[in-house]
Every structure is written in C-alpha cells, then in structure tokens.
Amino acid sequence: MAKSFPPIEPYAHGLLDVGDGNRIYWETSGNPDGKAAVCVHGGPGSGGRRASRRDFDPEVYRIVMFDQRGCGESLPHASDPAVSLEHNTTEHLIADMERLREHLGIERWLLYGGSWGSTLILAYAERYPERVSEIVICGVTMTRPEETEWLYHGVGRLLPGPWEAFRDALPAADRDGNLVAAYHRLMHSTDEAVRDRAARDWVAWEDAVIAHEVLGKPGAYSDRTDASLMAFVRICTHYFANNAWLKDGQLLRGAGRLAGIPAVLIHGRLDLGSPLKTAWELAKAWPDAELKVIDDSGHTGSPAMQDAIVEAIERFGKNGR
C-alpha cells in the first residue's frame, strides 16, 4: 500500500509579479536538483493545499506549489470586493504558470492536480506540450458547459432538498434560469450582507454534494476562513459563469496536442459532482493516458485513490528529468 511521505517545508518561496498588479505566491521543496513537478490546485480559487507536497518523494522531486491569482497567499486577495477579477482568466493563469516555470529555470515539469486543476493542467499542456514531461490528474474535469450544468443543476435530481435551498436563496426572478450566473451577479452586489449570504449559500450546496459521498467530509467547502471562502466563491462564480473562457469541448478536441506525454488519469467511480464520463472521454482521445477508475472513491478521494496517486508519481519519478 502506497504511503504519503513525511511532512516537509519549502526551501524557497516568494511572490512573482505576473502583471496587472498581481503577484502569485510560489514555493519549492524537496530536492533542488530533482525532477521538477508542479501542483496545480482546484477551485478555482481554493489556493494550493500544502499537504500535496507529501505525494512526492522529496529526494527525487523538486516540488513546486503556487496559489493562482486572487487566492491563497497570492496578492491582491479576491476576498476584497474592490479587487477586480478582470485580469483573472484561464489565459492569465496559463501565462502565470509559464512565467513561473521560466522564473524557476525549469525546462520541463510534471503536472499534477485535480478538479478545476485538471482543466488548467490540460489548457497549459495543450498550449505548451514541449514543457510537460508527464501528467497525473485525480478527478478529471474540463469545465465544459455540460459539466457546470450538471454540478449546479443536474445533481439536484439526487439532492432535491439542498438543491432547492441553493436555488431558492436567489431572487425569485433568477430561480428558473442560470443559477451560476445569478450567484455571480450577487457576488458583485454593493451590499456586503448580500455577498456574504450568497457565498455561504453557494458553499452549502458544494458541501451537500460532497457530504453525499460515502467518504465525503461534511463542511468540506465551508470549513475555511471568511476571507478564503469569499475569494473562493467570487473566483468560482467568475470562472463558471464565463465557461472558463474556453470554447465548448475545446480541451477534448485539442487532446491530440498531448500526444507523447505519458499520463495517468485517476477518477472515482462514485464522483457525484464530476461523473466518470469526462475522464472516459479524455482517455479515449489521448492514447498516452492511462485511466484508473477507483471504485470506492468520490470527488474527495479514498485511501485507494491516494495509493494510485503516489504510485503514478513514483513511477514517473523513475523516468528521470
């Protein structure tokens, strides 16, 4: 059974100026001369989970973590309603990753992440395939309109009570339309109480979806500081209301650009919010990707999923730099 590695601390960190008044937090740990790997966090707007370092052998890997624009330790923080999200799009995040790679003097790196992180990984890799050595994804998403529609509308068929609460927290005129767009508008209200209430109603729905999983943890999304919660919902609604600035099916159609990049796609069969169909379709379009379906796992993972992650990263660590 694969195990996570002991806790480690970064040997270097900083704030990288990426333009538009933004500075993204980054850190490196493990072996400074090791194989480079970057952890791409989910959300969008969640900030990097520092525990992800422990999925890598610190003697083998140079582990890079960063917080995407507006969240985590990056500045300015999107919890402040005065902070514009105009320059916070998928294109900006792709550019930030490439600037960080150059800043750290890395030729090629392994990309690791899941959920929204997998969308950003795929978008970056299709733009810069020559800079990617391998990819490990757990919880495959491509942020297509059908996926967003499922998570914020379709899952309501299985959780009618929490979904009706999510819908009915909106003004009556918005309840029969695009709920994500309606929450996005509320998060731009000039009334602080309206923004706060909308953010808490949003994460209550996210919590309900995760809590429905066998191994789901109650409060998975709401268990964060007020500032982190506000930034998370502002950024999530901003991205999802705009379909992440990706054309419908763009990443799947572009999978041919990933030819030659070895990958392991790890997905929970019980993932309620991100059904297996997306991972299945991507694996069919990407011959170099191996799909591992974890029978006992949902979106939040399981011991078997953790084993699969560590095993994939360990295998690619043997490929050298």
Side-chain angles (χ1 to χ4, degrees), residues 66 98 109 149 172 263:
F66 73 102
E98 183 62 1
W109 50 7
E149 168 72 18

Side-chain angles (χ1 to χ4, degrees), residues 13-90:
H13 63 91
L15 286 167
L16 177 64
D17 187 340
V18 291
D20 311 309
N22 283 276
R23 292 182 291 163
I24 60 167
Y25 173 81
W26 64 268
E27 62 180 45
T28 50
S29 55
N31 181 353
D33 299 316
K35 179 184 179 76
V38 60
C39 300
V40 184
H41 69 70
S46 289
R49 293 188 309 109
R50 307 301 183 241
S52 296
R53 305 184 197 114
R54 299 184 59 194
D55 295 333
F56 297 83
D57 184 338
E59 295 185 2
V60 173
Y61 280 98
R62 180 186 181 188
I63 310 153
V64 180
M65 304 196 73
F66 73 102
D67 291 328
Q68 294 160 31
R69 293 189 181 204
C71 65
E73 296 180 64
S74 293
L75 299 172
H77 202 263
S79 58
D80 181 350
V83 171
S84 171
L85 298 182
E86 177 186 0
H87 300 294
N88 194 332
T89 70
T90 303

Side-chain angles (χ1 to χ4, degrees), residues 176-209:
D176 294 326
N178 184 323
L179 304 188
V180 172
Y183 270 95
H184 182 236
R185 289 191 292 272
L186 290 183
M187 293 304 298
H188 283 79
S189 170
T190 57
D191 188 330
E192 180 180 359
V194 170
R195 296 193 305 271
D196 183 73
R197 184 70 263 161
R200 296 187 186 283
D201 289 330
W202 177 276
V203 295
W205 169 246
E206 300 273 16
D207 282 349
V209 175

Side-chain angles (χ1 to χ4, degrees), residues 98-224:
E98 183 62 1
R99 187 171 296 191
L100 178 60
R101 184 194 63 78
E102 294 174 345
H103 176 72
L104 296 176
I106 293 170
E107 184 67 22
R108 297 167 75 228
W109 50 7
L110 177 151
L111 309 182
Y112 166 56
S115 195
W116 157 254
S118 64
T119 296
L120 183 52
I121 282 171
L122 293 169
Y124 174 87
E126 290 182 11
R127 182 72 54 81
Y128 298 105
E130 71 281 3
R131 297 304 181 189
V132 181
S133 57
E134 301 92 4
I135 291 174
V136 177
I137 291 175
C138 54
V140 181
T141 70
M142 291 186 278
T143 316
R144 295 175 294 180
E146 67 182 74
E147 297 171 47
T148 303
E149 168 72 18
W150 169 255
L151 179 55
Y152 298 105
H153 290 258
V155 180
R157 301 170 195 171
L158 304 177
L159 300 169
W163 184 79
E164 286 185 6
F166 176 63
R167 179 198 62 190
D168 293 347
L170 292 168
D174 292 327
R175 293 172 190 168
D176 294 326
N178 184 323
L179 304 188
V180 172
Y183 270 95
H184 182 236
R185 289 191 292 272
L186 290 183
M187 293 304 298
H188 283 79
S189 170
T190 57
D191 188 330
E192 180 180 359
V194 170
R195 296 193 305 271
D196 183 73
R197 184 70 263 161
R200 296 187 186 283
D201 289 330
W202 177 276
V203 295
W205 169 246
E206 300 273 16
D207 282 349
V209 175
I210 291 300
H212 189 68
E213 296 182 354
V214 174
L215 300 176
K217 184 184 78 169
Y221 287 88
S222 58
D223 185 17
R224 59 184 76 205

Side-chain angles (χ1 to χ4, degrees), residues 283-314:
K284 287 178 67 177
W286 183 4
D288 297 286
E290 172 189 356
L291 176 60
K292 289 192 172 184
V293 180
I294 310 301
D295 288 333
D296 72 346
S297 179
H299 199 68
T300 50
S302 69
M305 178 175 278
Q306 181 62 24
D307 289 348
I309 292 168
V310 173
E311 287 167 2
I313 291 172
E314 181 179 24

